[in-house]
Amino acid sequence: MYLETKNISKSYDGKKIIEDININVEKGELVCLLGISGSGKTTLFNIISGLEKPDGDGKVMLKEEDITAQPGKVSYMLQKDLLLPYYTVIQNVSLPLIIKKGLKKKDAIKEAEKFFSVFGIEGTENKYPSALSGGMRQRAALLRTYLSSDDVALLDEPFSALDTITKSAVHNWYLDIMEKIKLTTLFVTHDIDEAILLSDRIYIMGGTPGRITKEIVINEPKPRNNVFTLTEKFLEYKKEIVRALG
């Protein structure tokens, strides 16, 4: 297994939030965590990213190494892009190379510049985030996430703030980027259509405390465009997910 959680549970003030979570992500996969609000998805992400420690003997494994409660081993992007408004785009995306990898500012900028064309944001280096569209800001934020750790990206509803047309374009772009840079992704969404369009596998999370209630494999070639959402196969996947969500 590339990324794996083993028996992850977490309680706050005596109340159990998630219980016995066992999931895995193979190298190069895009795996979705789908569930209603309050099922503990963000808590699980905080544990996988090392920001919080699981209860008991729960473990997070990356390439067979125990990375439990070790921040920085996997990159983590929240719903908002969190680009610093007073930094240029190149200054924003090079921050992980300075803070986490210890590069000097000049060297970090030079390294980050190599990826601007790959991520489709060439020409924005010296602009400020306020001058970018929502889609371009997300691309910049995803590049910054990638530079934080080039192995695994945890994405918490990264596309939810985008309009439908922009979201569709960014979906296709992200799948292309994953293929180019061999990125492994685990992401959270509340959007069933998005999960079906992007995922290799979907974990359904629900209950109180939150548990994995079902795993669904999406056996369809990618990229999957919006025409696929009109097919009988898409509707079958959607019905299965709705049933699993209760």
Side-chain angles (χ1 to χ4, degrees):
M1 301 298 178
Y2 201 67
L3 176 68
E4 185 177 14
T5 68
K6 295 184 176 182
N7 307 317
I8 298 292
S9 298
K10 184 67 178 179
S11 299
Y12 298 107
D13 299 324
K15 181 181 180 181
K16 187 164 284 188
I17 306 300
I18 56 176
E19 183 173 44
D20 199 25
I21 303 291
N22 294 277
I23 64 174
N24 66 82
V25 185
E26 299 290 355
K27 183 172 176 58
E29 271 193 315
L30 192 153
V31 174
C32 168
L33 198 61
L34 181 66
I36 62 172
S37 297
S39 56
K41 300 183 298 298
T42 297
T43 297
L44 178 59
F45 262 36
N46 287 341
I47 291 171
I48 295 173
S49 66
L51 297 176
E52 296 189 37
K53 187 176 181 180
D55 296 341
D57 60 355
K59 290 183 180 181
V60 180
M61 308 293 293
L62 178 64
K63 294 180 285 187
E64 299 184 359
E65 174 191 354
D66 187 349
I67 62 165
T68 310
Q70 296 183 47
K73 294 293 186 178
V74 297
S75 56
Y76 187 9
M77 179 176 161
L78 301 173
Q79 181 176 348
K80 295 181 179 179
D81 59 64
L82 299 179
L83 297 174
L84 299 174
Y86 45 85
Y87 275 19
T88 63
V89 174
I90 188 66
Q91 289 172 330
N92 267 285
V93 303
S94 62
L95 276 176
L97 298 175
I98 298 170
I99 296 171
K100 294 180 64 176
K101 300 187 179 180
L103 295 185
K104 293 181 179 179
K105 182 178 179 181
K106 182 179 178 181
D107 294 333
I109 288 175
K110 186 176 180 180
E111 179 65 21
E113 281 177 335
K114 298 176 183 177
F115 295 93
F116 270 66
S117 60
V118 176
F119 276 71
I121 54 172
E122 64 273 26
T124 69
E125 288 87 343
N126 297 314
K127 293 182 178 181
Y128 288 90
S130 60
L132 272 57
S133 67
M136 294 297 274
R137 287 173 66 101
Q138 287 303 92
R139 292 186 186 207
L142 285 162
L143 172 53
R144 183 182 59 188
T145 300
Y146 171 69
L147 292 175
S148 297
S149 171
D150 58 11
D151 283 314
V152 180
L154 305 179
L155 308 181
D156 193 348
E157 296 195 75
F159 312 125
S160 62
L162 303 177
D163 63 82
T164 302
I165 295 174
T166 302
K167 183 186 287 190
S168 179
V170 173
H171 283 170
N172 291 331
W173 167 81
Y174 188 72
L175 291 175
D176 183 56
I177 284 293
M178 279 188 64
E179 181 66 25
K180 285 180 178 177
I181 62 179
K182 307 304 179 187
L183 184 62
T184 301
T185 304
L186 177 63
F187 85 109
V188 162
T189 183
H190 291 94
D191 187 332
I192 295 175
D193 289 12
E194 178 175 72
I196 298 170
L197 286 170
L198 292 180
S199 303
D200 295 298
R201 290 182 294 118
I202 300 171
Y203 284 108
I204 305 297
M205 196 167 177
T208 305
R211 301 178 180 86
I212 300 299
T213 59
K214 192 175 183 65
E215 178 186 352
I216 298 172
V217 178
I218 309 296
N219 284 316
E220 302 296 329
K222 292 194 286 187
R224 305 168 193 141
N225 57 32
N226 286 330
V227 174
F228 177 60
T229 65
L230 304 176
T231 65
E232 185 63 32
K233 191 63 179 177
F234 179 88
L235 293 177
E236 288 175 8
Y237 283 122
K238 192 165 186 175
K239 288 175 184 177
E240 184 178 5
I241 291 169
V242 171
R243 284 194 297 267
L245 289 170

